Amino acid sequence: MSELMKQSCEACSADAPKATADQKQTLGKDIPDWQLVELDGEEQLQRVFKLKNFAQAQAFTNKVGDLAEEEGHHPAILLEYGKVTVRWWTHKIGGLHKNDYIMAARTDAAYKDMQ
């Protein structure tokens, strides 16, 4: 279990600092399958998860949704046949925060549990 998995998200305000380049590099080591992407000028973490069929992809989507509700931190999720794309970023700051890395690690664990 990664160190990120053991951590909880912290309340984040609109003036919270975005993750620095050093933080992104360090935190990213715990989630090596995630990519940094930029969408509409906001840096985000993205990963595509492959699943066996639509039902399994839908079940995974629901697991990620439950994780998001538990922490009050919500991703963008695209559900397709046998594939789920998840993007984490902190809407309030328009970029990445440590919370996003924590949630990416939890998403990885949820996926591993389904394998």
Side-chain angles (χ1 to χ4, degrees):
M1 177 185 300
S2 76
E3 286 300 312
L4 284 173
M5 277 287 304
K6 299 175 189 174
Q7 299 178 32
S8 295
C9 291
E10 58 187 55
C12 191
S13 62
D15 61 348
K18 293 179 184 176
T20 66
D22 286 344
Q23 289 171 321
K24 287 185 268 189
Q25 184 177 10
T26 300
L27 296 168
K29 290 177 183 176
D30 274 354
I31 54 164
D33 297 320
W34 290 78
Q35 296 179 319
L36 285 174
V37 298
E38 189 172 310
L39 187 63
D40 297 328
E42 296 179 334
E43 199 167 37
Q44 303 174 13
L45 295 172
Q46 177 178 290
R47 182 171 175 195
V48 176
F49 296 89
K50 304 285 185 179
L51 298 120
K52 292 179 184 173
N53 53 43
F54 187 82
Q56 191 179 39
Q58 185 177 22
F60 177 65
T61 297
N62 290 335
K63 278 184 117 174
V64 175
D66 291 344
L67 290 171
E69 276 298 297
E70 287 173 17
E71 288 289 351
H73 190 56
H74 304 93
I77 304 173
L78 174 61
L79 168 62
E80 301 176 75
Y81 184 90
K83 182 167 77 168
V84 177
T85 303
V86 180
R87 288 185 289 115
W88 289 103
W89 78 104
T90 301
H91 308 270
K92 283 185 179 180
I93 64 172
L96 294 173
H97 186 274
K98 184 177 183 179
N99 293 347
D100 304 303
Y101 290 85
I102 291 169
M103 296 307 292
R106 289 186 182 174
T107 304
D108 284 347
Y111 179 68
K112 186 177 178 183
D113 288 346
M114 294 193 71
Q115 301 304 299

